[in-house]
Amino acid sequence: MPSAIENRPPTITDGPFVIVGTPPSDGGNTSSTGQPRPEIWSNMRGGLCEALPYYRAYKGSLHTKEVCAIGFLIDKEADPRDVFSAQVVICSAGGGRELDRETGSMVRRADAVDDNTGIRALKAAKEARSVVAIIAGQNNPNYPCHPPHPYSVLDYFQITDIWKEPQAQRNGNVVKVWRIRFEKAELHTSSWWAPRNAKDGDNNALSPSHNSEYLSIEEFSGQSRHCVICWQHSKEIFTVGWMCLNPGCASYFHTHSPITNATASSLAYTEAFLNQRNPLIGPLPKLKPSIPDLDTVGLHGTESDSRCGFVCPDCGCCSRRLFWNRLVCENCSRWWPAPMLPYPQANLQAEAIYIDSLTTKRRITNGVNAGVPESAHDTFACVLNRTCIQPAEGFVFGSYTARQYFLPDATGQVIGSFTLFVSNQNINSRQHGPDDLFRELSVTDIGLKRNPAANVGSKHEGLTRHFQQNFGARYKFGVSVQSKGFDEAPQAVLRALHRLIWASKCAVAATAGRLAGQTVGPNAPPPTSNEFNELLALGFMEKDSINYHDDGETELGPTVAALSLGSPSIMKFRPKLRKSGFGDMLPIGSGPGGKKAFKSVLEVPMKHGDMMVMHGQHIHRIYEHAVEPFGGRRFSMTSRYIDPGKMTLQADKDDAAVKGAIPAHSQEFTYDGN
Ligand SMILES: O=C(O)CCC(=O)C(=O)O
Ligand SMILES: [Fe+2]
């Protein structure tokens, strides 16, 4: 399982996730103590990105929609001449900074390019006179007031000017940087971030009488003229006088000769440029989104549009979607139900048809039999490499058709088996079968939640995308997750557990049968296995995937089994690039971020009701697996044996013994394969 780390995990009983140390705030402008009080704020970047439709940029400062800027973060990296006042923000666009070892400061090494998607999106917003929401990070050195939160939403701004200017870097170089002037869109409301002693006009709301003090763009008091060389229009924005600001023009900044550090450092904006004010065009969109309307016609609760975070209507905290079926404010703990509707049967059918055609297509174009008549293919999976995956053995287990693949190491020795149990309509529609289990899990709260998986406890904390709840012995992947005992597990979980116990017995016996009489290596899958004492329930909403990982934690038994319910997915296997020893025997592709990796060797569709069993501990040394999602709602009930003998703490051993004991009352759920 990919590591998913939990620091102080919330459970259904201990209530919602509360971030310690954040003063509660209830929106508005300034508190009774005079503290600035933004209407919308967040302790975490993840909260912003999940709750605000106009800021979904986990990295970088700009968020765009259809190549138009809609959200912008101004945080710790600031440049000379940056402005952060009540109505005007001037800053640079585009990162491009790197650490300069000599000065220890972040510097830019090269001029910003003339055209990239970010600049295009900012220019598009300027042209369209559309608004951009600005969020201020607490480390911005120009914050005009004491930053009330790690991230605070300022307001909507329009972009009035975009130009490129020379900036002196701390290492002595001068580079040209794109600069953006944002102006608050609604000038008649006060700005919560304005310093309390701000002068009227400059820093706070314009009263109607003040309006006359500000010039419209036509009344811009500085020079504003066309360049005689490129014929493009530039405003006089620097006190040194007018110059052409078109970076492509021969007379850009007057000259082609290098601009010195001293010239760049002495530049200053004109009063006229800073003080211009532009009329707002069109009504402003809502800055504070309402709690998602889960009754919205046509939404059933797990589609991308309905699984977002939210802004707490009470305290303004941007909260992430932590729980499967409720929204809990990460600051004030207020919560709202987010009930799931049953998943439409028609969606499931369409998704199953799609996954079949996709697997067929991949088999024909990429599979080992590409170009060979389809009748010769293994129609259960897409086998991509015969060096690894030899033809499967077919079985019938109970009412399931099954296929078993052996996974070898680089010397060709079998180290494990992967068995797919293909379900069917008969199995799925039986009472307490996969249809019933899927329905039950969809609408019951079994405690599914997302757990911190990266940068735990920091403002850059990342959560697992999918939702989890562990039952039985505690499965520690990375850092521990909480577990509920099997004695408090809902019926659906216990029924799934018994199905997996049955499937693993079939798969292990079949593996042993096939290997009997063969010479096997020391890493061959063992002929028997331990009965599961753990079940990890996973809930996937639309597009939730699991990246490549292994289930190779040392305390795990040799067998891992999973029951798939709802929307289909494709489970993929590939040998690990360095640890597998396959060297140049297999083709290499590139994974996310261009990282080299072996191409997958086996891709198996897992559809509603299907089960899989991986048997053999060494699989996880040599191979990794991933789950590619298709469709809108899936559960995977995965079971393992966690060996108390390999736990170091006596408390963990005792906990595993109690929680992992399969309750006697569940024996009536024992499964026979039908
Ligand atoms: O989604 C699945 O079926 C399997 C998930 C998985 O690989 C895991 O839980 O380790
Ligand atoms: Fe896994």
Side-chain angles (χ1 to χ4, degrees):
M1 188 64 206
S3 92
I5 312 160
E6 208 170 49
N7 56 349
R8 201 204 63 80
T11 66
I12 297 281
T13 42
D14 77 2
F17 197 70
V18 177
I19 291 157
V20 182
T22 299
S25 149
D26 58 3
N29 252 325
T30 39
S31 68
S32 51
T33 58
Q35 290 296 315
R37 221 165 46 174
E39 219 195 338
I40 308 164
W41 57 275
S42 181
N43 282 323
M44 295 197 188
R45 183 96 175 217
L48 288 180
C49 294
E50 286 198 23
L52 302 177
Y54 44 78
Y55 196 74
R56 301 236 183 272
Y58 286 88
K59 287 192 177 140
S61 53
L62 175 66
H63 184 57
T64 66
K65 190 176 177 190
E66 290 157 10
V67 204
C68 185
I70 57 171
F72 199 85
L73 173 70
I74 49 170
D75 208 352
K76 76 169 187 269
E77 297 298 346
D79 279 328
R81 290 187 291 284
D82 275 7
V83 173
F84 183 175
S85 71
Q87 293 186 337
V88 174
V89 168
I90 297 178
C91 59
S92 305
R97 293 179 181 89
E98 48 185 90
L99 186 69
D100 179 57
R101 288 190 197 286
E102 274 171 36
T103 57
S105 55
M106 300 295 283
V107 296
R108 293 187 171 88
R109 300 212 181 274
D111 290 345
V113 293
D114 277 348
D115 185 36
N116 65 21
T117 36
I119 286 301
R120 243 177 286 149
L122 288 158
K123 285 182 175 171
K126 175 178 177 283
E127 289 315 309
R129 307 280 306 266
S130 58
V131 289
V132 178
I134 297 190
I135 296 141
Q138 67 182 0
N139 296 324
N140 188 300
N142 302 316
Y143 225 117
C145 63
H146 179 73
H149 301 283
Y151 300 98
S152 304
V153 178
L154 301 184
D155 210 329
Y156 280 119
F157 285 69
Q158 16 187 4
I159 296 177
T160 60
D161 301 85
I162 301 180
W163 69 102
K164 218 177 194 183
E165 73 183 32
Q167 289 270 357
Q169 303 295 294
R170 277 181 225 139
N171 61 356
N173 293 346
V174 175
V175 297
K176 295 190 193 85
V177 179
W178 281 110
R179 304 279 291 163
I180 318 292
R181 181 183 184 278
F182 295 95
E183 182 179 301
K184 197 172 164 220
E186 176 52 85
L187 297 164
H188 296 96
T189 56
S190 60
S191 303
W192 63 259
W193 61 96
R196 296 193 73 208
N197 58 357
K199 279 189 264 108
D200 238 0
D202 173 41
N203 279 321
N204 232 323
L206 295 183
S207 66
S209 63
H210 282 123
N211 262 345
S212 56
E213 291 179 18
Y214 292 92
L215 308 171
S216 72
I217 202 155
E218 292 77 23
E219 295 166 297
F220 180 66
S221 64
Q223 286 194 65
S224 182
R225 57 170 147 110
H226 289 98
C227 168
V228 291
I229 295 177
C230 69
W231 210 242
Q232 280 201 24
H233 176 269
S234 295
K235 281 181 193 167
E236 180 187 48
I237 67 172
F238 295 107
T239 51
V240 288
W242 184 91
M243 50 197 148
C244 175
L245 293 176
N246 167 20
C249 174
S251 76
Y252 166 71
F253 249 82
H254 284 324
T255 171
H256 259 339
S257 58
I259 297 153
T260 64
N261 202 293
T263 337
S265 303
S266 67
L267 291 170
Y269 300 126
T270 63
E271 286 291 305
F273 179 63
L274 294 172
N275 288 343
Q276 61 170 324
R277 295 293 186 270
N278 296 270
L280 170 64
I281 296 191
L284 286 175
K286 229 168 137 173
L287 191 66
K288 185 171 180 175
S290 323
I291 287 265
D293 180 3
L294 297 155
D295 292 331
T296 307
V297 182
L299 293 186
H300 49 69
T302 46
E303 36 305 75
S304 304
D305 281 349
S306 55
R307 62 96 37 98
C308 307
F310 69 105
V311 180
C312 176
D314 282 6
C315 71
C317 171
C318 295
S319 297
R320 301 166 299 175
R321 174 71 175 264
L322 293 174
F323 298 94
W324 180 258
N325 54 9
R326 73 212 138 100
L327 305 173
V328 181
C329 173
E330 293 193 68
N331 176 55
C332 74
S333 308
R334 205 181 147 195
W335 68 278
W336 292 260
M340 296 285 161
L341 295 181
Y343 195 68
Q345 192 63 29
N347 291 25
L348 276 191
Q349 280 161 1
E351 289 160 6
I353 292 170
Y354 175 75
I355 201 93
D356 282 344
S357 67
L358 185 80
T359 319
T360 306
K361 204 162 113 196
R362 286 187 183 179
R363 197 160 44 222
I364 292 170
T365 47
N366 308 327
V368 286
N369 296 321
V372 169
E374 240 224 287
S375 54
H377 289 196
D378 170 349
T379 51
F380 288 80
C382 180
V383 178
L384 293 137
N385 199 293
R386 278 276 177 249
T387 305
C388 282
I389 312 296
Q390 295 308 305
E393 182 100 9
F395 292 93
V396 173
F397 295 128
S399 302
Y400 297 78
T401 312
R403 280 288 179 282
Q404 189 173 72
Y405 302 84
F406 275 169
L407 300 170
D409 63 15
T411 69
Q413 301 268 14
V414 176
I415 52 164
S417 63
F418 175 86
T419 314
L420 172 70
F421 292 68
V422 182
S423 190
N424 53 51
Q425 183 62 28
N426 261 342
I427 297 172
N428 290 347
S429 59
R430 289 222 167 95
Q431 199 189 10
H432 303 307
D435 290 355
D436 283 351
L437 294 180
F438 180 54
R439 228 181 340 260
E440 208 173 315
L441 290 169
S442 291
V443 298
T444 343
D445 185 353
I446 64 160
L448 292 173
K449 62 179 188 285
R450 290 163 71 203
N451 290 308
N455 304 319
V456 181
S458 85
K459 63 183 184 180
H460 295 289
E461 181 176 271
L463 299 175
T464 58
R465 193 71 195 144
H466 60 281
F467 299 73
Q468 312 163 330
Q469 176 61 55
N470 198 209
F471 294 95
R474 198 145 57 113
Y475 175 26
K476 295 184 179 180
F477 38 103
V479 180
S480 60
V481 293
Q482 293 300 304
S483 190
K484 295 182 183 193
F486 277 145
D487 57 348
E488 47 171 331
Q491 216 185 82
V493 169
L494 293 171
R495 287 191 187 278
L497 174 68
H498 282 284
R499 283 172 178 256
L500 294 168
I501 290 172
W502 171 81
S504 73
K505 282 185 180 147
C506 297
V508 172
T511 307
R514 288 176 71 193
L515 290 176
Q518 287 190 30
T519 329
V520 293
N523 298 332
T528 56
S529 192
N530 316 76
E531 187 146 289
F532 296 134
N533 62 354
E534 182 269 356
L535 186 147
L536 181 66
L538 305 175
F540 299 87
M541 298 196 185
E542 189 177 359
K543 299 194 180 126
D544 292 353
S545 57
I546 295 200
N547 288 338
Y548 275 105
H549 68 281
D550 63 43
D551 294 7
E553 291 82 6
T554 47
E555 64 272 33
L556 292 195
T559 320
V560 179
L563 163 65
S564 223
L565 297 167
S567 299
S569 67
I570 291 184
M571 188 155 182
K572 303 176 184 187
F573 286 83
R574 71 181 184 201
K576 296 179 183 177
L577 188 62
R578 291 189 211 297
K579 294 188 188 150
S580 69
F582 276 96
D584 52 14
M585 293 155 80
L586 299 173
I588 291 178
S590 63
K595 247 175 117 178
K596 276 188 180 173
F598 281 127
K599 291 189 169 165
S600 55
V601 293
L602 178 67
E603 299 188 350
V604 190
M606 301 265 301
K607 292 189 283 190
H608 177 54
D610 291 354
M611 289 188 277
M612 70 86 184
V613 178
M614 281 187 272
H615 179 56
Q617 229 142 7
H618 284 267
I619 294 179
H620 304 288
R621 298 240 173 104
I622 307 289
Y623 291 86
E624 47 194 1
H625 58 276
V627 180
E628 186 184 356
F630 296 89
R633 183 183 303 172
R634 172 173 179 261
F635 297 96
S636 177
M637 312 299 272
T638 65
S639 267
R640 297 162 180 86
Y641 173 68
I642 323 264
D643 186 354
K646 295 201 176 130
M647 297 176 182
T648 36
L649 297 178
Q650 188 57 42
D652 284 348
K653 294 180 199 222
D654 297 345
D655 190 68
V658 174
K659 288 186 171 159
I662 298 178
H665 75 82
S666 78
Q667 294 309 327
E668 64 168 301
F669 307 147
T670 302
Y671 189 57
D672 64 358
N674 288 304

